[in-house]
Amino acid sequence: MEDLLAGAMMLARWDVLAALLVGSIGGVIIGAIPGVGPAVAIAILLPATFAFDPIVGLTLLLGIYGSSMYGGAIPAVLINTPGTAVNALTSYDGYPMTQAGEAHRAVSLAYSASFWGGMFGILCLILLSPVLAVIAPMFGSREIFLAALLGIILVILAHRGQIFAAGMLAMFGIFLQTIGLDAVTYTQRYTFGLSFLSSGVNLIVVVLGLFALSQAFFLLTAPDESPDAKPIKGRMSAGLKELMGHKRVATVASGFGVVLGMIPGTGEFTAQFMSYTYAQKTSKTPERFGKGAPEGLIASEAANNAVPAAAMIPLLALGIPGEALTAMMLSVFYVHNVIPGPQLFQNDIDLVYGLYFALIALNVIVMVFLLFSTNLLTRIIRIPTRFLGVMILILSFVGVYSLRNSLTDCMIAAGFGVLGLVLKRLNLPIVPIILGMVLGGIMEVKLRSALPRLNTPLDMIDRPIAAILFAMILLVVALHIRALLGELRNHNAGGDHDLHDSQMR
Amino acid sequence: MSRAKTLQSLFKRYRRPGDIVFAWVALIGSLLLLSQIAAQTEWRGGAKWPAQPRFWPAVSLTGMAGFAALHLLGSALSERIEGRWSEVRLWLSSLEYAGWFVGYAALVPIAGYLPTTVLFAMLLTFRAGYRSAAALGAAAGSAVVIVLLFKSFLQVKLPGGQIYEVLPDGLRQFMLTYF
């Protein structure tokens, strides 16, 4: 109880409240503009947050992460262009509603479902905390190594249809983090005699290049567009009442969001697909799906908004990020010498509770903001895409250069920007590179520290949690092979889709 | 024959133009890096192999080369899509904007953050195809807001321009601190 109060008190500071307000409202606006997503915004702001207290920096980033999907629903519903790619399924039923003259109903349903999903996710996070506090300390070096390995495998396998590319990029990420002076043996690795490589390749520089600069290059090299969203008329609170008639779908979808949010590499997109399929299968009018079914819209929005809180679970409890945004947040923890993982729940539990309260507050702020300002956002959406590219380029400079005032960093970031553009054009995933860097670093450190206690390789899995994790790795691989063989038998290789865009913006 | 066809379909995946070019570059790049492993990493006698400084580069580069080879195989077995080289030209055209970015970063410590940002925003907006005074004005205005937000208000660590040194005493300090 004392910790809960201390956590609540953390928010009662003007700078934290300001960060919460700016983060959540900024996140909605960023989410609403097609072409900029939370990853771009978080990458740009990341170095600026290093100067703040951990709670201030994390609240700001969490605000953007948690609220961007609310905003992303607006263009998905109004102009059939998802603001963030995880709102893709929202447009399936939202846009037909707009065409039928029910835009306000669709938008308010999307907000209400998002709010439901967001709050459900936080509730699960709070309820799971005592369990996490008990389980997390059971994770030693071996267990964290195996969990990170499981994370890498899941990230690769989650990219169905592009597993080879995802594997290659994850391995590239692991390789990137090995460059520089080895911290234990003090030997150079792949520095080619270049002094600037001795300190390694900075994760933030790579993140800024791959997410922010690549998006700027992507927009600047593509034809100019200016999305046109019409203002909405009608009561925005109508959706709340309608949502109450679909509580089952909203709750199950949020449940999918929570479970899949906790598993590295899966996240919003898989959660959205699974809950949409569930909603369609259990609906009395499945034929309405894709033509303006409220359950479809609710399933999609509730699922993706339940993910941010759930994604914090592996990050806070084990220090293992499941996707790019939490990987970026991990660097904020590291910069402030707060190491997420088992000790966090013992030493800094007030910070954990502070983050929970911040998540609750941001959902409320966003909901209130959206009820009154949706029409303002429809005007912001109209920013021409190339102009947006110019602005992202200018903002990226602040992010890269403020790190350590290095022109070399800018050149490296520009190089990764071009790589990111190529990957985006080919619709290949970017996230495996980032997770490869982060999880690769964790694997190297943890395997080394586990070594003195290992006499045979089997000692690696002689503890219960390690054995469970190992069994999960085997199960995941076996299930994948089974699915692959089934696909081979049915000759149904996947067609082109925008799946991986979800992980880029 | 049918088995070979089944295997081929296992590797077939949807592609976009230029995929095979990327697959070749990735494979050649990873093999080149792997070929340098003995020169670029060390092997310490006595240490267990997972503790060797060479272990993780070897694992990652071998994995990368393996996956790159499979990706290339998949790309080669899939149907050819038209527009490969025009796509590559588009990738190369992004180097221009990478150059703009590096040029901007090189100019800031000399000409100062505020003047460089305003100039750069207007020039790049012009380059992006906008010619109206409103667009150029919006670019300049946005640049000023960005500078005010990050340098003046948030005091993000950015260098003052050498050009500010020629300003009179009071103004110089003000510009160095806030712009």
Side-chain angles (χ1 to χ4, degrees):
Chain A
M1 194 64 199
E2 246 173 59
D3 294 326
L4 264 173
L5 273 175
M9 287 306 288
M10 272 192 154
L11 293 193
R13 276 169 42 183
W14 75 266
D15 48 357
V16 180
L17 288 174
L20 194 58
L21 204 65
V22 172
S24 33
I25 294 177
V28 176
I29 297 171
I30 286 159
I33 304 172
V36 200
V40 175
I42 290 180
I44 289 168
L45 285 174
L46 203 54
T49 61
F50 292 165
F52 304 153
D53 270 359
I55 184 75
V56 180
L58 284 167
T59 307
L60 181 70
L61 302 184
L62 208 57
I64 296 171
Y65 182 23
S67 60
S68 60
M69 284 173 282
Y70 278 89
I74 300 172
V77 167
L78 299 183
I79 54 171
N80 206 15
T81 307
T84 69
V86 290
N87 299 100
L89 281 183
T90 309
S91 59
Y92 279 25
D93 290 291
Y95 188 61
M97 281 182 172
T98 301
Q99 285 176 311
E102 293 181 320
H104 82 282
R105 180 186 166 211
V107 170
S108 66
L109 255 182
Y111 295 163
S112 312
S114 301
F115 187 72
W116 186 283
M119 297 309 266
F120 185 89
I122 302 160
L123 193 71
C124 290
L125 186 60
I126 293 173
L127 290 176
L128 273 174
S129 281
V131 185
L132 289 175
V134 175
I135 294 176
M138 293 179 190
F139 277 71
S141 297
R142 283 169 251 193
E143 286 80 8
I144 293 185
F145 167 78
L146 287 167
L149 180 62
L150 176 64
I152 286 273
I153 293 172
L154 282 169
V155 166
I156 296 172
L157 297 185
H159 291 91
R160 281 181 71 81
Q162 293 188 321
I163 286 175
F164 301 144
M168 176 178 75
L169 295 167
M171 292 295 158
F172 178 54
I174 298 176
F175 168 69
L176 281 177
Q177 69 81 33
T178 67
I179 294 175
L181 196 67
D182 177 35
V184 176
T185 57
Y186 297 109
T187 58
Q188 302 278 345
R189 297 194 290 193
Y190 279 92
T191 54
F192 297 99
L194 301 166
S195 58
F196 71 87
L197 281 179
S198 293
S199 54
V201 179
N202 191 295
L203 175 72
I204 312 283
V205 173
V206 178
V207 163
L208 272 156
L210 286 177
F211 285 97
L213 278 174
S214 70
Q215 190 62 18
F217 298 162
F218 185 85
L219 295 173
L220 284 164
T221 50
D224 199 21
E225 277 177 60
S226 187
D228 185 24
K230 303 270 181 295
I232 304 167
K233 289 187 190 108
R235 267 191 333 120
M236 296 305 294
S237 54
L240 268 174
K241 205 181 275 175
E242 192 173 351
L243 179 78
M244 291 301 139
H246 301 289
K247 281 198 291 274
R248 178 185 52 85
V249 171
T251 310
V252 174
S254 310
F256 274 120
V258 168
V259 174
L260 292 163
M262 283 193 284
I263 303 172
T266 48
E268 292 97 342
F269 223 83
T270 322
Q272 224 180 10
F273 266 108
M274 290 179 79
S275 30
Y276 191 85
T277 313
Y278 165 81
Q280 191 171 19
K281 276 190 179 158
T282 57
S283 170
K284 285 176 193 149
T285 52
E287 71 284 354
R288 294 274 310 139
F289 277 68
K291 295 171 191 156
E295 299 108 298
L297 188 66
I298 291 168
S300 152
E301 281 298 306
N304 65 26
N305 274 278
V307 170
M312 297 304 283
I313 292 173
L315 179 74
L316 295 175
L318 304 175
I320 295 178
E323 33 75 74
L325 298 177
T326 38
M328 293 185 211
M329 285 188 200
L330 186 64
S331 56
V332 181
F333 280 103
Y334 281 148
V335 162
H336 292 287
N337 227 3
V338 180
I339 309 298
Q343 284 82 27
L344 190 72
F345 280 82
Q346 287 161 351
N347 306 335
D348 294 292
I349 189 74
D350 51 342
L351 176 72
V352 176
Y353 284 128
L355 291 175
Y356 294 171
F357 287 123
L359 275 167
I360 295 174
L362 87 86
N363 275 284
V364 176
I365 293 171
V366 170
M367 193 64 192
V368 173
F369 174 70
L370 281 171
L371 288 178
F372 297 101
S373 58
T374 300
N375 278 331
L376 179 76
L377 289 170
T378 58
R379 281 204 284 274
I380 295 174
I381 293 172
R382 294 178 200 164
I383 299 176
T385 49
R386 283 190 160 197
F387 188 79
L388 210 56
V390 174
M391 290 303 128
I392 295 175
L393 208 68
I394 293 174
L395 286 165
S396 302
F397 166 78
V398 187
V400 185
Y401 206 71
S402 63
L403 259 184
R404 42 192 181 190
N405 288 3
S406 158
L407 187 61
T408 316
D409 280 349
C410 293
M411 291 179 188
I412 296 174
F416 278 101
V418 175
L419 173 65
L421 166 97
V422 174
L423 294 175
K424 283 180 182 183
R425 295 281 313 176
L426 291 172
N427 196 23
L428 295 177
I430 287 176
V431 170
I433 302 180
I434 305 300
L435 285 184
M437 279 186 87
V438 176
L439 297 180
I442 292 172
M443 284 199 293
E444 177 163 12
V445 170
K446 294 299 172 187
L447 183 60
R448 258 188 182 145
S449 54
L451 273 182
R453 291 176 214 107
L454 303 179
N455 294 318
T456 67
L458 277 180
D459 291 345
M460 194 75 193
I461 50 168
D462 67 353
R463 294 202 296 212
I465 291 186
I468 292 170
L469 285 166
F470 186 66
M472 282 168 75
I473 292 174
L474 294 180
L475 185 72
V476 163
V477 175
L479 284 176
H480 179 75
I481 292 173
R482 203 183 78 154
L484 209 62
L485 290 176
E487 196 180 275
L488 184 63
R489 239 173 267 131
N490 301 326
H491 298 285
N492 61 347
D496 198 349
H497 53 71
D498 279 336
L499 251 178
H500 314 302
D501 282 354
S502 64
Q503 320 221 353
M504 294 177 188
R505 289 177 190 158
Chain B
M1 184 64 193
S2 70
R3 175 167 288 207
K5 273 205 161 165
T6 319
L7 254 178
Q8 190 176 341
S9 68
L10 180 68
F11 282 97
K12 267 189 179 176
R13 290 286 175 244
Y14 78 82
R15 305 276 167 228
R16 287 197 175 170
D19 187 72
I20 201 160
V21 180
F22 176 73
W24 271 113
V25 172
L27 180 62
I28 293 167
S30 48
L31 287 175
L32 278 176
L33 285 169
L34 194 58
S35 70
Q36 297 301 305
I37 194 133
Q40 291 299 326
T41 58
E42 281 185 28
W43 187 267
R44 287 286 171 97
K48 287 182 182 174
W49 52 269
Q52 291 290 345
R54 184 173 293 171
F55 178 70
W56 284 100
V59 167
S60 55
L61 287 173
T62 309
M64 195 175 147
F67 277 119
L70 290 169
H71 182 66
L72 177 64
L73 191 65
S75 204
L77 288 174
S78 303
E79 278 166 38
R80 183 177 174 162
I81 311 166
E82 287 305 312
R84 179 184 297 168
W85 296 112
S86 63
E87 179 64 22
V88 173
R89 271 196 297 277
L90 189 140
W91 299 348
L92 294 175
S93 73
S94 72
L95 287 173
E96 181 203 334
Y97 295 104
W100 276 86
F101 179 72
V102 174
Y104 170 47
L107 200 61
V108 166
I110 301 163
Y113 186 40
L114 178 68
T116 313
T117 306
V118 173
L119 181 75
F120 176 80
M122 290 176 74
L123 286 176
L124 196 56
T125 303
F126 189 82
R127 169 67 189 88
Y130 303 101
R131 298 288 184 269
S132 68
L136 296 174
S142 308
V144 172
V145 170
I146 289 169
V147 173
L148 285 175
L149 177 67
F150 286 98
K151 176 86 178 171
S152 315
F153 179 64
L154 289 175
Q155 290 283 302
V156 167
K157 209 176 62 179
L158 292 167
Q162 287 170 19
I163 205 168
Y164 295 160
E165 296 296 334
V166 298
L167 293 170
D169 269 353
L171 186 61
R172 182 175 62 213
Q173 201 49 47
F174 180 76
M175 289 299 282
L176 281 171
T177 312
Y178 295 107
F179 299 102

